């Protein structure tokens, strides 16, 4: 993918930003080649009640449904939506005035700052609920923080989050971020292709919701078991922020890719009309 090159084939700030994205995506992909193992998993195998996974899966499904059907407006109040939309317009105007790397990086910087703050809050919440032995009830808080973080990243790049198509895209992001190896590679390739062809919002939302809830339940099984035990539950609760960081890191990459693809299309359209 190339934007308009400068004199003598010199790369534009947009080209450089695209190359930076490719490097960052490669770094994330490398980390996803092998599944991460919870450090207490071996000691806990055989001790976790068989019903816990079903309970976790049901809890995540319910949390997703509540947020999509009733909770988006509530989360929206914590996102400072109007301010973020205004800040996006300011960054957009800055790029129009001066097409520089600094102005371009302002978009990812804004998204990254929001994500970092939410990860810190998630760490505090996870540790607090873990200390008091609150495991399963923490799932709604954790899920709400996932969506709040992604909504803020979307706003930082000028995208909405409340249409059925955007909800599907968000579910695809979350699902891909907790897969590994070849499964992750295939999902990553398909998602990138769909973005290039403006098909990122395709899919069966009900099926995606179920698959994503199941995947998160599988990943967090041992952590939530530990988190439900007072005091030592801190070890499980702190993993909330670990997973939130991975999800937001991936969401930041994919929204940055969508943003750059959109800018390329706008640039190509401008060229055709001049």
């Amino acid at each position: 993918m190339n934007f308009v090159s400068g004199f003598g084939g010199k790369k534009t700030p947009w080209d450089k930003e695209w190359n930076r994205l490719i490097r960052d995506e490669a770094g994330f992909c490398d980390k996803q080649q092998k599944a991460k193992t919870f450090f207490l998993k071996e000691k806990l195998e055989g001790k976790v009640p068989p019903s816990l996974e079903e309970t976790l899966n049901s809890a995540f499904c319910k949390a997703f449904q509540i947020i999509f059907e009733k909770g988006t407006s509530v989360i929206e109040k914590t996102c400072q939506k109007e301010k973020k939309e205004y800040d996006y317009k300011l960054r957009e105007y800055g790029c129009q005035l001066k097409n520089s790397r600094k102005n371009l990086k302002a978009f990812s910087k804004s998204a990254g700052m929001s994500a970092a703050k939410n990860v810190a809050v998630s760490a505090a919440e996870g540790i607090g609920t873990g200390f008091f032995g609150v495991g399963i009830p923490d799932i709604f808080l954790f899920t709400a923080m996932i969506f709040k973080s992604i909504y803020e990243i979307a706003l930082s790049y000028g995208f909405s989050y409340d249409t059925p198509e955007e909800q599907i895209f968000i579910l695809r992001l979350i699902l891909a971020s907790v897969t590994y190896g070849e499964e992750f590679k295939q999902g990553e390739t398909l998602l990138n292709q769909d973005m290039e062809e403006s098909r990122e919002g395709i899919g069966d939302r009900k099926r995606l919701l179920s698959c994503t809830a199941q995947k998160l339940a599988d990943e967090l099984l041992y952590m939530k078991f530990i988190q439900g035990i007072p005091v030592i539950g801190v070890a499980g609760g702190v993993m909330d922020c670990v997973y939130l960081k991975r999800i937001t890191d991936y969401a930041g990459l994919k929204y940055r890719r969508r943003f750059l693809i959109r800018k390329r299309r706008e640039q190509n359209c401008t060229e055709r009309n001049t």
Side-chain angles (χ1 to χ4, degrees), residues 71-89:
T72 294
S73 60
V74 176
I75 294 175
E76 195 173 79
K77 294 177 181 178
T78 69
C79 292
Q80 295 182 302
K81 181 181 179 182
E82 291 184 359
K83 183 180 184 305
K84 288 192 175 297
E85 289 176 334
Y86 177 74
D87 289 343
Y88 167 78
K89 291 176 181 177

Side-chain angles (χ1 to χ4, degrees), residues 206-223:
K206 185 177 180 180
R207 184 190 66 80
L208 277 169
L209 190 151
S210 177
C211 288
T212 306
Q214 180 66 60
K215 199 70 177 179
L216 282 170
D218 292 344
E219 284 291 305
L220 297 173
L221 176 63
Y222 294 98
M223 280 81 91

Side-chain angles (χ1 to χ4, degrees), residues 6 22 61-62 78 116 124 176 201 238:
I22 298 302
C61 275
K62 188 173 183 179
T78 69
V238 76

Side-chain angles (χ1 to χ4, degrees), residues 129-149:
T129 53
F131 183 82
F132 291 105
V134 179
I136 302 299
D138 177 58
I139 286 177
F140 184 81
L141 289 175
F142 177 57
T143 304
M145 186 59 74
I146 289 174
F147 284 98
K148 176 181 183 292
S149 301

Side-chain angles (χ1 to χ4, degrees), residues 14 66 94 99 119 155 229 237:
W14 293 101
I66 290 174
N99 189 14
V119 168
L155 291 171
I229 304 173

Side-chain angles (χ1 to χ4, degrees), residues 4-267:
V4 178
S5 296
F7 292 106
K10 183 179 179 181
K11 290 185 177 179
T12 68
W14 293 101
D15 283 322
K16 292 176 182 178
E17 188 65 9
W18 179 261
N19 290 338
R20 184 170 76 93
L21 168 68
I22 298 302
R23 290 193 298 270
D24 291 346
E25 285 183 332
F28 188 93
C29 290
D30 287 342
K31 293 178 183 177
Q32 292 299 105
Q33 292 312 298
K34 187 176 180 181
K36 316 301 187 293
T37 302
F38 183 45
F39 62 97
L40 291 176
K41 180 178 179 180
E42 292 182 2
K43 294 183 179 181
L44 293 173
E45 284 181 332
K47 298 179 181 180
V48 178
S51 61
L52 181 58
E53 184 174 357
E54 183 178 346
T55 301
L56 282 177
N57 184 34
S58 176
F60 273 117
C61 275
K62 188 173 183 179
F64 280 25
Q65 289 170 346
I66 290 174
I67 289 171
F68 277 161
E69 294 171 7
K70 302 176 182 178
T72 294
S73 60
V74 176
I75 294 175
E76 195 173 79
K77 294 177 181 178
T78 69
C79 292
Q80 295 182 302
K81 181 181 179 182
E82 291 184 359
K83 183 180 184 305
K84 288 192 175 297
E85 289 176 334
Y86 177 74
D87 289 343
Y88 167 78
K89 291 176 181 177
L90 286 181
R91 292 192 296 274
E92 183 79 355
Y93 183 61
C95 279
Q96 292 173 7
L97 291 178
K98 186 177 181 180
N99 189 14
S100 67
R101 288 293 302 284
K102 181 180 179 180
N103 286 342
L104 277 178
K105 285 184 177 181
F107 294 94
S108 56
K109 183 178 179 181
S110 173
M113 288 176 63
S114 292
K117 183 175 71 173
N118 288 328
V119 168
V121 172
S122 180
E125 287 180 349
I127 291 171
T129 53
F131 183 82
F132 291 105
V134 179
I136 302 299
D138 177 58
I139 286 177
F140 184 81
L141 289 175
F142 177 57
T143 304
M145 186 59 74
I146 289 174
F147 284 98
K148 176 181 183 292
S149 301
I150 294 177
Y151 291 171
E152 291 180 348
I153 291 170
L155 291 171
S156 295
Y157 286 107
F159 291 98
S160 64
Y161 50 75
D162 51 2
T163 66
E165 292 77 19
E166 289 299 327
Q167 290 177 354
I168 288 171
F169 180 63
I170 289 170
L171 285 171
R172 292 181 69 183
L173 288 179
I174 298 171
L175 181 59
S177 69
V178 289
T179 59
Y180 308 95
E182 285 302 316
E183 184 180 2
F184 172 77
K185 279 185 177 180
Q186 292 173 6
E188 162 79 351
T189 299
L190 180 60
L191 191 55
N192 287 346
Q193 288 176 347
D194 286 346
M195 282 190 281
E196 281 287 347
E197 298 172 15
S198 299
R199 295 186 292 117
E200 59 269 28
I202 63 168
D204 183 331
R205 196 186 77 165
K206 185 177 180 180
R207 184 190 66 80
L208 277 169
L209 190 151
S210 177
C211 288
T212 306
Q214 180 66 60
K215 199 70 177 179
L216 282 170
D218 292 344
E219 284 291 305
L220 297 173
L221 176 63
Y222 294 98
M223 280 81 91
K224 292 303 173 186
F225 175 71
I226 284 289
Q227 193 176 352
I229 304 173
V231 183
I232 66 170
V234 168
V238 76
M239 295 301 289
D240 280 1
C241 69
V242 174
Y243 276 86
L244 181 63
K245 185 177 187 309
R246 189 193 308 174
I247 292 168
T248 56
D249 282 351
Y250 190 64
L253 291 171
K254 297 300 102 177
Y255 274 106
R256 191 174 5 147
R257 177 178 276 267
R258 281 184 76 185
F259 171 74
L260 291 172
I261 289 173
R262 184 174 67 186
K263 289 301 174 185
R264 181 193 60 185
R265 289 172 181 152
E266 290 174 358
Q267 197 173 73

